[in-house]
Structure formats: structure tokens, C-alpha cells
Amino acid sequence: MTRNVFSYHKAPRLSLVGAGPGDPELITMKAIRTLQTADIVLYDSLVGKEILNYIPIGTPALSVGKRAGLHSYSQEEINDLIVELALLYGHVVRLKGGDPYVFGRGGEEVEVAIRNGIEVAVIPGITSAIAAPASINIPVTCRGLSESFWIVTGTTMAGAISDDIALAAQSSATVVILMGMSKLEEIMETFRFQGKAQTPVAIIQNATLDNERYVVGTVDNIVRVARAWDIGSPAVIVVGEVVRCSELVQNIQARTNINFQYQ
Ligand SMILES: C[S@@+](CC[C@H](N)C(=O)[O-])C[C@H]1O[C@@H](n2cnc3c(N)ncnc32)[C@H](O)[C@@H]1O
């Protein structure tokens, strides 16, 4: 008896997917659909646990979790894994917190994949830089208060405070700082140096998740306030007049009983 034997090999491809800021309802439908066609998923530690429920049962999922100071895989190892697993399994979904191209090193992963002949798709996500302030009613731009916003990293690859913070502090823009908690004091000093001691500041930890916490203060006192309330990473720091909007909404709510919710 003869049998037709043909080898079946899936084409290697990479989907770089943004999981949003953490709330499982803040992931996009396209991201969920992409997860459902994954042959293997590599995810970061900032991806909320509930988001992982969108990965079909039986699909292997590997945490390559990167947390401040704790790197389970180096970026080079992750790049190699993407290529090896795409060749072995087919469709690799690389799931990242927020948007994959906002301080997500997504560009490096895509470059490696393309260099190795792997087809790439990028699914944007809602970045924590906008969702975290929004979750406590802070708009990053506001007519009459702020005409633009900067998203800056607090800590550069070399571990230093980014020079861009000093530039941003000179502007009238809303300044949103990610990965800044370990440099909070230095960052605030930079704003104070620009005469902004009384500018409002908010810090939102675990934004959009059940354990979200936040504090509001000024450039002058936020370090003390954050310490007093034990606010740590992951957190988004917002510096600018727009922070007053949060208070405004809360005051209106208190006076009118109107329940404002971020949807
Ligand atoms: C490596 S960056 C990745 C940013 C991500 N790609 C994004 O668009 O949100 C990690 C930083 O994002 C911020 N971050 C991410 N998710 C957050 C959340 N749910 N709450 C507060 N900060 C968050 C923190 O500043 C954290 O240190």
C-alpha cells in the first residue's frame, strides 16, 4: 500500500501585539483575534494576568518577563527566541504591555524578524502613557491648559535620567514620564530648576487594574507624598496643569453626584 506523505510546515511569522495598560477590556479586538491564531506566545511581565486568558488553551505561552531590575531574558535572547520559535512553530505572537512601540523595544524585535525573512504584523495597543492619566480623569491635552504632551522615559538604557526631561521641563507641554520612579527625586529637581515648584504632579501606579493607586501633589512635595503612600513601580508620572482636571472632575462629582467613569 502506498501513502501520500507530504511535509507540512507553517510559514514563520511574527505579530507584535499591544496588550493595553492592564484592564483586560482595554485590549483591542484585533489583538484578541491575533492571539487566537498564535502557535506560541511570548509575553512580558506587564501584561495583566487576565489578558493571558485570551490565549487559547493548549497554545504554549512563555513569560519572557522584564521588570525593573529583574530580567529573566535579555533583549538579545528574546530576539533569538522569536526567530527560532517562528521557524519551529510558525506564528509567534509577541505580547507587550501598552503599545509595543512606546518604550517597548518592539522596533528591535521587528528588525531581527525581518532580517531573518520572517513576515511581521504590528497591532498597536493603548499606551499607559495616556490611559493612566485618563483613568483618574487627567486629559493629556486640554484647551487652554496644554497644547501638547511629551512622553519621556525616566531612565535611559545607560541607567541615567534622560536629557529629554530637562528639555521637556522647559516647555509648556504636559510631561508624561514612564519608568521614572527610581529617579523621582532627580526628575522633580529638574522641574524645580525650571521654576516649576508649584506645577501639579500625579503618579498613577498599576493604572486601570484593580490595584490601581494614585497620588497628586506638586513638583515640590510629590516625592514626600509618594513615599508616604508607598507608591512604586509600575507607575506613570504626569507633570502639568492638566493634573488639576482630575480634582475638578472629583469636585463636580462630589457636588452633583454625577458619576464620571473612564470607559
Ligand atoms: C517598558 S515601559 C513599557 C510601556 C508600554 N509599552 C506602554 O505603552 O504603556 C514600562 C513602563 O510603562 C509604565 N506602565 C506600563 N503599564 C502601566 C500601568 N498599568 N500602570 C502604570 N504604569 C504603567 C510604567 O512607567 C512602566 O515602568
Side-chain angles (χ1 to χ4, degrees):
M1 192 177 81
T2 58
R3 240 183 341 151
N4 275 337
V5 180
F6 50 91
S7 88
Y8 172 69
H9 204 272
K10 287 185 172 179
R13 60 191 177 106
L14 167 69
S15 295
L16 189 66
V17 175
D23 178 338
E25 293 187 5
L26 288 177
I27 188 171
T28 65
M29 287 177 72
K30 193 156 186 166
I32 295 173
R33 265 199 224 121
T34 304
L35 277 173
Q36 284 164 352
T37 63
D39 293 309
I40 185 161
V41 178
L42 301 180
Y43 63 92
D44 279 349
S45 63
L46 273 179
V47 173
K49 284 199 175 60
E50 286 183 67
I51 300 266
L52 300 179
N53 292 335
Y54 294 120
I55 302 171
I57 292 168
T59 302
L62 178 65
S63 165
V64 288
K66 287 200 273 172
R67 261 258 145 101
L70 299 170
H71 282 207
S72 51
Y73 285 81
S74 69
Q75 187 62 49
E76 289 63 35
E77 285 169 330
I78 294 172
N79 295 350
D80 290 347
L81 262 182
I82 287 173
V83 174
E84 280 164 26
L85 294 175
L87 296 174
L88 203 62
Y89 282 81
H91 186 196
V92 174
V93 171
R94 180 71 176 100
L95 189 62
K96 288 168 173 285
D99 182 274
Y101 277 169
V102 177
F103 300 125
R105 304 189 72 172
E108 295 162 57
E109 296 176 9
V110 162
E111 193 192 319
V112 166
I114 290 172
R115 259 198 280 117
N116 283 277
I118 295 166
E119 194 187 310
V120 172
V122 179
I123 318 294
I126 298 177
T127 177
S128 63
I130 295 173
S135 74
I136 60 162
N137 311 328
I138 298 176
V140 286
T141 66
C142 183
R143 224 172 129 106
L145 278 184
S146 166
E147 291 170 5
S148 64
F149 63 99
W150 292 47
I151 303 174
V152 193
T153 176
T155 317
T156 64
M157 272 171 79
I161 178 174
S162 166
D163 290 342
D164 283 2
I165 295 203
L167 293 175
Q170 290 167 42
S171 77
S172 58
T174 303
V175 184
V176 181
I177 302 153
L178 305 191
M179 296 173 283
M181 287 309 283
S182 64
K183 297 267 184 304
L184 187 60
E185 227 167 319
E186 273 178 79
I187 292 169
M188 290 307 128
E189 193 45 51
T190 308
F191 281 89
R192 203 176 291 124
F193 186 72
Q194 296 301 331
K196 297 200 165 161
Q198 295 313 312
T199 302
V201 182
I203 303 179
I204 309 108
Q205 180 180 11
N206 295 321
T208 79
L209 290 161
D210 289 342
N211 57 347
E212 172 175 310
R213 297 168 72 228
Y214 71 93
V215 285
V216 176
T218 61
V219 164
D220 230 8
N221 69 16
I222 196 71
V223 173
R224 252 179 296 130
V225 175
R227 273 200 202 122
W229 291 94
D230 199 23
I231 297 287
S233 295
V236 170
I237 304 163
V238 187
V239 187
E241 294 303 324
V242 288
V243 169
R244 296 189 199 283
C245 296
S246 179
E247 226 171 287
L248 190 75
V249 170
Q250 278 163 30
N251 287 342
I252 295 170
Q253 253 176 258
R255 270 190 279 123
T256 59
N257 272 340
I258 294 171
N259 189 16
F260 176 93
Q261 273 194 339
Y262 171 72
Q263 296 289 346

